[in-house]
Amino acid sequence: MRRPDELTRAFRAQGLKITPQRQLLFTLLHDNETHPTAEALYTVAHAQMPGISRRTVYQTLTDLVSMGELSSLAVGGGATRFDPNTAAHHHALCDECGALLDIYVDDLQFRAQGLEGFAASGATIVFNGRCATCVPNDLPNNPVINNKEHQQ
Amino acid sequence: MRRPDELTRAFRAQGLKITPQRQLLFTLLHDNETHPTAEALYTVAHAQMPGISRRTVYQTLTDLVSMGELSSLAVGGGATRFDPNTAAHHHALCDECGALLDIYVDDLQFRAQGLEGFAASGATIVFNGRCATCVPNDLPNNPVINNKEHQQ
DNA sequence: GTGCGAATCTGCAAACCGTGCGAACTAGCC
DNA sequence: GGCTAGTTCGCACGGTTTGCAGATTCGCAC
Ligand SMILES: [Mn+2]
Ligand SMILES: [Mn+2]
Ligand SMILES: [Zn+2]
Ligand SMILES: [Zn+2]
Protein backbone atom coordinates (compact mmCIF):
# COMPACT_ATOMS: atom_id res chain seq x y z
CA MET A 1 0.00 0.00 0.00
CA ARG A 2 1.28 3.41 -0.91
CA ARG A 3 1.72 6.31 1.45
CA PRO A 4 -1.36 8.25 2.59
CA ASP A 5 -0.45 11.25 0.43
CA GLU A 6 0.01 9.04 -2.63
CA LEU A 7 -3.27 7.31 -1.97
CA THR A 8 -4.95 10.68 -1.67
CA ARG A 9 -3.75 11.57 -5.15
CA ALA A 10 -4.72 8.17 -6.49
CA PHE A 11 -8.21 8.42 -5.05
CA ARG A 12 -8.78 11.89 -6.46
CA ALA A 13 -7.39 10.81 -9.82
CA GLN A 14 -10.17 8.23 -9.95
CA GLY A 15 -12.86 10.72 -9.03
CA LEU A 16 -13.06 9.37 -5.51
CA LYS A 17 -13.33 11.78 -2.64
CA ILE A 18 -11.01 12.16 0.28
CA THR A 19 -12.78 12.06 3.58
CA PRO A 20 -11.39 12.23 7.11
CA GLN A 21 -12.49 8.62 7.59
CA ARG A 22 -10.49 7.46 4.60
CA GLN A 23 -7.46 9.48 5.59
CA LEU A 24 -7.51 8.00 9.05
CA LEU A 25 -7.65 4.48 7.69
CA PHE A 26 -4.83 5.23 5.26
CA THR A 27 -2.59 6.18 8.15
CA LEU A 28 -3.71 3.27 10.32
CA LEU A 29 -2.90 0.83 7.55
CA HIS A 30 0.31 2.33 6.24
CA ASP A 31 3.28 0.22 7.33
CA ASN A 32 0.94 -1.77 9.55
CA GLU A 33 2.49 -5.21 9.83
CA THR A 34 -0.05 -6.74 12.20
CA HIS A 35 -2.43 -7.97 9.47
CA PRO A 36 -5.37 -6.48 11.35
CA THR A 37 -8.99 -7.51 11.05
CA ALA A 38 -11.68 -4.99 10.15
CA GLU A 39 -12.81 -5.02 13.76
CA ALA A 40 -9.30 -4.33 15.07
CA LEU A 41 -9.01 -1.37 12.72
CA TYR A 42 -12.43 -0.15 13.77
CA THR A 43 -11.43 -0.23 17.41
CA VAL A 44 -8.36 1.92 16.81
CA ALA A 45 -10.13 4.21 14.37
CA HIS A 46 -13.06 4.68 16.70
CA ALA A 47 -10.76 5.75 19.53
CA GLN A 48 -9.49 8.58 17.34
CA MET A 49 -12.73 9.37 15.56
CA PRO A 50 -15.67 8.35 17.72
CA GLY A 51 -18.23 8.95 14.99
CA ILE A 52 -16.75 6.52 12.49
CA SER A 53 -18.88 3.59 11.54
CA ARG A 54 -17.93 -0.04 11.21
CA ARG A 55 -19.62 0.06 7.86
CA THR A 56 -17.20 2.69 6.61
CA VAL A 57 -14.23 0.65 7.75
CA TYR A 58 -15.50 -2.39 5.86
CA GLN A 59 -16.29 -0.26 2.82
CA THR A 60 -12.89 1.42 2.71
CA LEU A 61 -11.08 -1.88 3.13
CA THR A 62 -13.07 -3.36 0.27
CA ASP A 63 -12.22 -0.36 -1.89
CA LEU A 64 -8.51 -0.58 -1.12
CA VAL A 65 -8.53 -4.30 -1.91
CA SER A 66 -10.20 -3.75 -5.25
CA MET A 67 -7.66 -1.02 -6.06
CA GLY A 68 -4.89 -3.48 -5.32
CA GLU A 69 -3.53 -1.42 -2.44
CA LEU A 70 -4.42 -4.03 0.13
CA SER A 71 -4.80 -7.76 0.10
CA SER A 72 -7.20 -9.78 2.16
CA LEU A 73 -6.18 -12.98 3.87
CA ALA A 74 -8.48 -15.76 5.01
CA VAL A 75 -6.40 -17.73 7.45
CA GLY A 76 -7.29 -19.55 10.60
CA GLY A 77 -11.02 -19.46 10.06
CA GLY A 78 -11.78 -16.23 11.89
CA ALA A 79 -12.27 -12.78 10.46
CA THR A 80 -10.53 -11.71 7.29
CA ARG A 81 -7.20 -10.02 7.87
CA PHE A 82 -5.85 -7.19 5.75
CA ASP A 83 -2.34 -6.73 4.49
CA PRO A 84 -0.90 -3.48 3.15
CA ASN A 85 2.26 -5.29 2.09
CA THR A 86 1.80 -5.72 -1.62
CA ALA A 87 5.11 -7.45 -2.24
CA ALA A 88 4.82 -11.14 -3.07
CA HIS A 89 5.16 -12.93 0.21
CA HIS A 90 3.78 -15.67 2.40
CA HIS A 91 2.85 -15.97 6.06
CA ALA A 92 3.44 -17.78 9.32
CA LEU A 93 0.51 -18.07 11.69
CA CYS A 94 1.11 -18.57 15.39
CA ASP A 95 -1.22 -21.26 16.74
CA GLU A 96 -1.13 -19.70 20.15
CA CYS A 97 -1.47 -15.95 19.82
CA GLY A 98 -2.69 -15.63 16.26
CA ALA A 99 0.21 -13.45 15.14
CA LEU A 100 0.71 -13.47 11.40
CA LEU A 101 4.25 -12.86 10.20
CA ASP A 102 5.54 -12.04 6.75
CA ILE A 103 7.67 -14.76 5.20
CA TYR A 104 9.64 -14.29 2.02
CA VAL A 105 10.22 -17.51 0.14
CA ASP A 106 12.92 -17.86 -2.52
CA ASP A 107 14.24 -20.62 -4.71
CA LEU A 108 11.11 -22.65 -4.24
CA GLN A 109 11.34 -26.09 -5.82
CA PHE A 110 9.03 -29.05 -5.58
CA ARG A 111 7.33 -31.84 -7.43
CA ALA A 112 3.55 -31.87 -7.38
CA GLN A 113 1.12 -34.61 -8.10
CA GLY A 114 -2.44 -33.56 -8.88
CA LEU A 115 -1.74 -30.26 -10.62
CA GLU A 116 -2.03 -31.78 -14.09
CA GLY A 117 -4.70 -29.84 -15.96
CA PHE A 118 -5.00 -27.22 -13.26
CA ALA A 119 -4.06 -23.77 -14.56
CA ALA A 120 -2.38 -22.45 -11.45
CA SER A 121 -1.92 -18.71 -11.19
CA GLY A 122 -0.12 -18.76 -7.88
CA ALA A 123 0.15 -20.38 -4.52
CA THR A 124 -0.08 -19.24 -0.96
CA ILE A 125 1.95 -20.83 1.79
CA VAL A 126 1.01 -20.57 5.43
CA PHE A 127 3.44 -21.91 7.99
CA ASN A 128 2.00 -22.80 11.32
CA GLY A 129 3.58 -23.26 14.70
CA ARG A 130 4.62 -20.93 17.50
CA CYS A 131 6.03 -17.49 17.10
CA ALA A 132 9.19 -16.43 18.93
CA THR A 133 7.31 -14.86 21.82
CA CYS A 134 5.11 -17.92 22.30
CA VAL A 135 7.83 -20.57 22.13
CA PRO A 136 8.89 -21.61 25.63
CA ASN A 137 12.44 -20.36 26.07
CA ASP A 138 13.79 -23.63 27.38
CA LEU A 139 12.84 -25.61 24.32
CA PRO A 140 15.19 -25.50 21.35
CA ASN A 141 13.68 -24.63 18.02
CA ASN A 142 13.05 -27.39 15.58
CA PRO A 143 16.46 -27.71 13.93
CA VAL A 144 15.14 -29.08 10.64
CA ILE A 145 12.22 -26.91 9.83
CA ASN A 146 13.56 -23.77 11.39
CA ASN A 147 16.65 -23.48 9.27
CA LYS A 148 17.54 -22.05 5.92
CA GLU A 149 16.86 -25.16 3.87
CA HIS A 150 13.61 -26.88 4.47
CA GLN A 151 11.96 -30.07 3.51
CA GLN A 152 8.30 -30.76 3.85
CA MET B 1 -10.60 -41.14 7.84
CA ARG B 2 -11.06 -44.82 8.52
CA ARG B 3 -13.85 -46.98 7.18
CA PRO B 4 -17.29 -46.71 8.78
CA ASP B 5 -16.92 -50.09 10.52
CA GLU B 6 -13.52 -49.13 11.91
CA LEU B 7 -14.88 -45.82 13.14
CA THR B 8 -17.75 -47.65 14.78
CA ARG B 9 -15.27 -49.71 16.77
CA ALA B 10 -13.17 -46.65 17.57
CA PHE B 11 -16.18 -44.73 18.83
CA ARG B 12 -17.36 -47.56 21.04
CA ALA B 13 -13.82 -48.07 22.35
CA GLN B 14 -13.97 -44.49 23.62
CA GLY B 15 -17.34 -44.93 25.25
CA LEU B 16 -19.08 -43.01 22.49
CA LYS B 17 -22.33 -44.30 21.15
CA ILE B 18 -23.14 -45.29 17.62
CA THR B 19 -26.23 -43.66 16.30
CA PRO B 20 -27.86 -43.84 12.87
CA GLN B 21 -26.94 -40.19 12.36
CA ARG B 22 -23.26 -40.84 12.99
CA GLN B 23 -23.26 -43.92 10.81
CA LEU B 24 -24.79 -41.99 7.96
CA LEU B 25 -22.17 -39.27 8.23
CA PHE B 26 -19.40 -41.87 8.37
CA THR B 27 -20.53 -43.26 5.03
CA LEU B 28 -21.08 -39.83 3.49
CA LEU B 29 -17.57 -38.79 4.42
CA HIS B 30 -15.71 -41.99 3.67
CA ASP B 31 -13.69 -41.60 0.47
CA ASN B 32 -15.41 -38.27 -0.13
CA GLU B 33 -12.97 -36.20 -2.16
CA THR B 34 -15.13 -33.12 -2.59
CA HIS B 35 -14.04 -31.40 0.62
CA PRO B 36 -17.67 -30.71 1.50
CA THR B 37 -18.96 -28.01 3.82
CA ALA B 38 -21.17 -28.84 6.78
CA GLU B 39 -24.15 -27.50 4.86
CA ALA B 40 -23.40 -29.67 1.81
CA LEU B 41 -23.22 -32.73 4.04
CA TYR B 42 -26.43 -31.75 5.76
CA THR B 43 -28.23 -31.49 2.43
CA VAL B 44 -27.21 -34.99 1.40
CA ALA B 45 -27.77 -36.43 4.86
CA HIS B 46 -31.18 -34.83 5.13
CA ALA B 47 -32.28 -36.37 1.84
CA GLN B 48 -31.58 -39.81 3.29
CA MET B 49 -32.65 -39.11 6.85
CA PRO B 50 -35.18 -36.29 6.92
CA GLY B 51 -35.15 -35.99 10.69
CA ILE B 52 -31.45 -35.25 11.00
CA SER B 53 -30.51 -31.88 12.38
CA ARG B 54 -27.89 -29.45 11.15
CA ARG B 55 -26.69 -29.29 14.70
CA THR B 56 -25.87 -32.98 14.70
CA VAL B 57 -23.91 -32.64 11.48
CA TYR B 58 -21.82 -29.84 12.97
CA GLN B 59 -21.36 -31.76 16.19
CA THR B 60 -20.27 -34.97 14.50
CA LEU B 61 -17.84 -33.13 12.26
CA THR B 62 -16.32 -31.43 15.28
CA ASP B 63 -15.97 -34.79 17.02
CA LEU B 64 -14.30 -36.39 14.02
CA VAL B 65 -11.89 -33.49 13.73
CA SER B 66 -10.90 -33.72 17.38
CA MET B 67 -10.38 -37.47 16.98
CA GLY B 68 -8.03 -36.76 14.07
CA GLU B 69 -10.23 -38.59 11.59
CA LEU B 70 -11.07 -35.48 9.66
CA SER B 71 -9.35 -32.21 9.03
CA SER B 72 -11.00 -28.87 8.61
CA LEU B 73 -9.89 -26.42 5.96
CA ALA B 74 -10.51 -22.69 6.02
CA VAL B 75 -9.91 -21.63 2.45
CA GLY B 76 -11.55 -18.98 0.34
CA GLY B 77 -13.28 -17.28 3.21
CA GLY B 78 -16.58 -19.14 3.02
CA ALA B 79 -17.74 -22.05 5.14
CA THR B 80 -15.22 -24.49 6.56
CA ARG B 81 -14.60 -27.52 4.38
CA PHE B 82 -13.91 -30.98 5.72
CA ASP B 83 -11.37 -33.47 4.49
CA PRO B 84 -11.36 -37.18 5.32
CA ASN B 85 -7.99 -37.58 3.62
CA THR B 86 -5.60 -37.74 6.54
CA ALA B 87 -2.50 -38.24 4.42
CA ALA B 88 -0.18 -35.22 4.35
CA HIS B 89 -1.22 -33.23 1.33
CA HIS B 90 -2.00 -29.80 0.00
CA HIS B 91 -4.76 -28.29 -2.12
CA ALA B 92 -5.61 -26.43 -5.27
CA LEU B 93 -8.63 -24.14 -5.17
CA CYS B 94 -10.45 -23.26 -8.37
CA ASP B 95 -11.22 -19.53 -8.44
CA GLU B 96 -14.22 -20.15 -10.63
CA CYS B 97 -16.14 -23.15 -9.32
CA GLY B 98 -14.63 -23.51 -5.87
CA ALA B 99 -13.45 -27.07 -6.44
CA LEU B 100 -10.72 -28.10 -4.04
CA LEU B 101 -8.29 -30.72 -5.33
CA ASP B 102 -5.75 -32.79 -3.47
CA ILE B 103 -2.15 -31.99 -4.34
CA TYR B 104 0.75 -34.10 -3.19
CA VAL B 105 3.98 -32.17 -2.91
CA ASP B 106 7.36 -33.89 -2.78
CA ASP B 107 10.95 -32.79 -2.61
CA LEU B 108 9.97 -29.37 -1.41
CA GLN B 109 12.95 -27.05 -1.01
CA PHE B 110 13.16 -23.35 -0.46
CA ARG B 111 14.85 -20.55 1.39
CA ALA B 112 12.74 -18.52 3.72
CA GLN B 113 13.27 -15.13 5.28
CA GLY B 114 11.26 -14.35 8.37
CA LEU B 115 11.06 -17.81 9.90
CA GLU B 116 13.94 -17.17 12.27
CA GLY B 117 12.66 -17.82 15.76
CA PHE B 118 9.35 -19.21 14.55
CA ALA B 119 8.92 -22.84 15.62
CA ALA B 120 7.13 -24.10 12.55
CA SER B 121 5.28 -27.37 12.87
CA GLY B 122 4.20 -27.53 9.25
CA ALA B 123 2.99 -25.58 6.31
CA THR B 124 -0.08 -25.61 4.14
CA ILE B 125 0.07 -24.74 0.47
CA VAL B 126 -2.96 -23.67 -1.50
CA PHE B 127 -2.58 -23.30 -5.24
CA ASN B 128 -5.10 -21.10 -6.93
CA GLY B 129 -6.19 -20.86 -10.52
CA ARG B 130 -8.66 -22.70 -12.71
CA CYS B 131 -9.42 -26.38 -12.57
CA ALA B 132 -9.43 -28.52 -15.70
CA THR B 133 -13.16 -28.19 -16.25
CA CYS B 134 -13.11 -24.41 -15.80
CA VAL B 135 -10.14 -23.64 -18.02
CA PRO B 136 -11.41 -22.04 -21.25
CA ASN B 137 -11.50 -24.67 -23.96
CA ASP B 138 -9.71 -22.55 -26.56
CA LEU B 139 -6.33 -24.02 -25.80
CA PRO B 140 -3.97 -24.87 -28.71
CA ASN B 141 -4.71 -28.54 -29.09
CA ASN B 142 -8.40 -28.69 -28.56
CA PRO B 143 -9.33 -30.59 -31.74
CA VAL B 144 -12.85 -29.25 -32.00
CA ILE B 145 -12.65 -25.58 -31.15
CA ASN B 146 -9.30 -25.11 -32.81
CA ASN B 147 -10.36 -26.72 -36.05
CA LYS B 148 -10.49 -24.25 -38.92
CA GLU B 149 -14.08 -25.10 -39.65
CA HIS B 150 -15.07 -23.82 -36.26
CA GLN B 151 -13.08 -20.63 -36.38
CA GLN B 152 -14.48 -17.33 -37.43
C1' DG C 1 -37.25 -57.58 27.23
C1' DT C 2 -37.33 -53.96 30.71
C1' DG C 3 -35.49 -50.28 32.90
C1' DC C 4 -31.93 -47.08 33.83
C1' DG C 5 -28.48 -43.41 33.19
C1' DA C 6 -25.54 -41.14 30.38
C1' DA C 7 -24.80 -39.75 25.91
C1' DT C 8 -26.88 -37.85 22.02
C1' DC C 9 -30.11 -35.40 19.14
C1' DT C 10 -33.00 -31.66 18.08
C1' DG C 11 -34.72 -26.97 17.59
C1' DC C 12 -34.17 -22.57 18.71
C1' DA C 13 -31.69 -18.51 20.15
C1' DA C 14 -27.74 -16.03 19.75
C1' DA C 15 -22.90 -14.79 18.37
C1' DC C 16 -19.98 -13.58 14.76
C1' DC C 17 -18.68 -11.71 10.30
C1' DG C 18 -19.85 -9.32 6.54
C1' DT C 19 -23.15 -7.00 2.95
C1' DG C 20 -27.48 -4.49 1.08
C1' DC C 21 -29.94 -0.60 1.35
C1' DG C 22 -31.81 4.00 1.92
C1' DA C 23 -31.67 8.31 4.25
C1' DA C 24 -28.54 11.82 5.78
C1' DC C 25 -24.38 14.04 4.95
C1' DT C 26 -20.33 16.20 2.60
C1' DA C 27 -16.28 16.89 -0.64
C1' DG C 28 -15.30 18.96 -4.65
C1' DC C 29 -16.69 22.04 -8.10
C1' DC C 30 -19.27 26.08 -10.30
C1' DG D 1 -22.99 29.94 -1.18
C1' DG D 2 -25.30 26.26 -3.67
C1' DC D 3 -25.34 21.86 -6.47
C1' DT D 4 -24.56 17.01 -7.00
C1' DA D 5 -22.32 12.87 -7.05
C1' DG D 6 -20.00 10.25 -3.91
C1' DT D 7 -19.74 8.89 0.91
C1' DT D 8 -21.08 7.76 5.48
C1' DC D 9 -24.09 5.86 8.76
C1' DG D 10 -27.31 2.81 11.01
C1' DC D 11 -29.93 -0.91 10.69
C1' DA D 12 -31.65 -5.03 8.83
C1' DC D 13 -30.47 -9.17 7.04
C1' DG D 14 -27.83 -13.48 5.24
C1' DG D 15 -24.59 -17.11 6.03
C1' DT D 16 -22.01 -19.84 9.28
C1' DT D 17 -21.32 -21.70 13.66
C1' DT D 18 -22.05 -22.39 18.69
C1' DG D 19 -24.78 -22.47 23.32
C1' DC D 20 -28.34 -24.37 25.58
C1' DA D 21 -32.10 -27.21 27.44
C1' DG D 22 -35.50 -30.45 26.90
C1' DA D 23 -36.68 -34.75 24.49
C1' DT D 24 -34.86 -38.97 22.86
C1' DT D 25 -32.06 -43.06 22.44
C1' DC D 26 -28.02 -46.17 22.94
C1' DG D 27 -25.69 -49.52 25.62
C1' DC D 28 -25.76 -52.10 29.47
C1' DA D 29 -27.34 -54.56 33.62
C1' DC D 30 -30.82 -57.20 35.34
MN1 LIG E 1 1.77 -10.06 5.00
MN1 LIG F 1 -7.72 -32.82 0.71
ZN1 LIG G 1 2.52 -16.30 19.21
ZN1 LIG H 1 -13.36 -25.07 -11.52
Side-chain angles (χ1 to χ4, degrees):
Chain A
M1 190 171 126
R2 287 176 280 174
R3 290 196 314 269
D5 62 300
E6 292 172 305
L7 286 178
T8 295
R9 255 177 284 136
F11 267 60
R12 286 209 240 261
Q14 294 191 23
L16 302 174
K17 295 178 177 174
I18 292 303
T19 65
Q21 292 90 342
R22 281 177 175 171
Q23 285 175 305
L24 174 55
L25 288 165
F26 293 170
T27 65
L28 293 182
L29 284 165
H30 183 65
D31 279 345
N32 184 325
E33 297 188 352
T34 66
H35 304 93
T37 62
E39 184 67 22
L41 286 164
Y42 170 72
T43 300
V44 179
H46 191 258
Q48 295 185 41
M49 185 185 287
I52 199 172
S53 158
R54 256 181 201 86
R55 193 67 187 82
T56 297
V57 175
Y58 276 105
Q59 185 60 57
T60 302
L61 292 171
T62 301
D63 293 345
L64 287 168
V65 169
S66 64
M67 291 171 69
E69 297 289 343
L70 207 55
S71 58
S72 64
L73 309 172
V75 293
T80 300
R81 300 175 72 153
F82 294 89
D83 193 348
N85 180 351
T86 51
H89 68 287
H90 298 279
H91 294 97
L93 175 65
C94 179
D95 297 332
E96 192 161 321
C97 71
L100 199 55
L101 309 172
D102 286 340
I103 308 293
Y104 295 88
V105 170
D106 291 307
D107 302 330
L108 181 64
Q109 288 182 16
F110 61 88
R111 275 183 321 162
Q113 212 183 107
L115 274 181
E116 308 81 21
F118 188 91
S121 58
T124 61
I125 305 175
V126 179
F127 297 88
N128 47 80
R130 301 259 183 110
C131 76
T133 66
C134 290
V135 172
N137 287 352
D138 52 345
L139 295 180
N141 291 344
N142 183 316
V144 174
I145 204 150
N146 227 8
N147 225 325
K148 294 130 264 175
E149 297 281 338
H150 301 256
Q151 283 212 341
Q152 199 222 348
Chain B
M1 189 170 128
R2 286 177 280 176
R3 291 195 315 268
D5 62 300
E6 291 173 304
L7 286 178
T8 295
R9 253 177 287 138
F11 267 61
R12 284 209 240 260
Q14 294 192 20
L16 303 175
K17 295 178 178 175
I18 292 303
T19 65
Q21 292 89 344
R22 282 177 173 172
Q23 286 175 306
L24 174 55
L25 288 165
F26 292 170
T27 65
L28 293 182
L29 284 165
H30 183 65
D31 278 346
N32 185 327
E33 298 188 354
T34 66
H35 304 92
T37 62
E39 183 68 21
L41 287 164
Y42 170 71
T43 300
V44 179
H46 191 258
Q48 295 184 41
M49 185 187 286
I52 200 172
S53 155
R54 253 182 204 83
R55 193 68 187 80
T56 298
V57 175
Y58 277 102
Q59 186 59 57
T60 302
L61 291 171
T62 301
D63 293 344
L64 287 167
V65 169
S66 64
M67 291 171 69
E69 297 288 343
L70 207 55
S71 57
S72 64
L73 308 172
V75 293
T80 300
R81 300 175 72 154
F82 293 89
D83 194 347
N85 180 352
T86 50
H89 69 288
H90 299 280
H91 293 97
L93 175 65
C94 179
D95 297 332
E96 192 162 320
C97 71
L100 199 55
L101 308 172
D102 285 340
I103 307 292
Y104 295 88
V105 170
D106 291 307
D107 301 330
L108 181 64
Q109 289 185 16
F110 57 89
R111 274 201 329 254
Q113 258 179 66
L115 275 180
E116 308 80 21
F118 188 91
S121 58
T124 61
I125 305 175
V126 178
F127 297 88
N128 47 78
R130 299 259 183 109
C131 76
T133 67
C134 290
V135 170
N137 282 343
D138 55 6
L139 295 176
N141 40 8
N142 183 308
V144 175
I145 298 292
N146 261 8
N147 189 302
K148 283 207 172 246
E149 297 175 15
H150 295 269
Q151 290 182 358
Q152 181 59 319

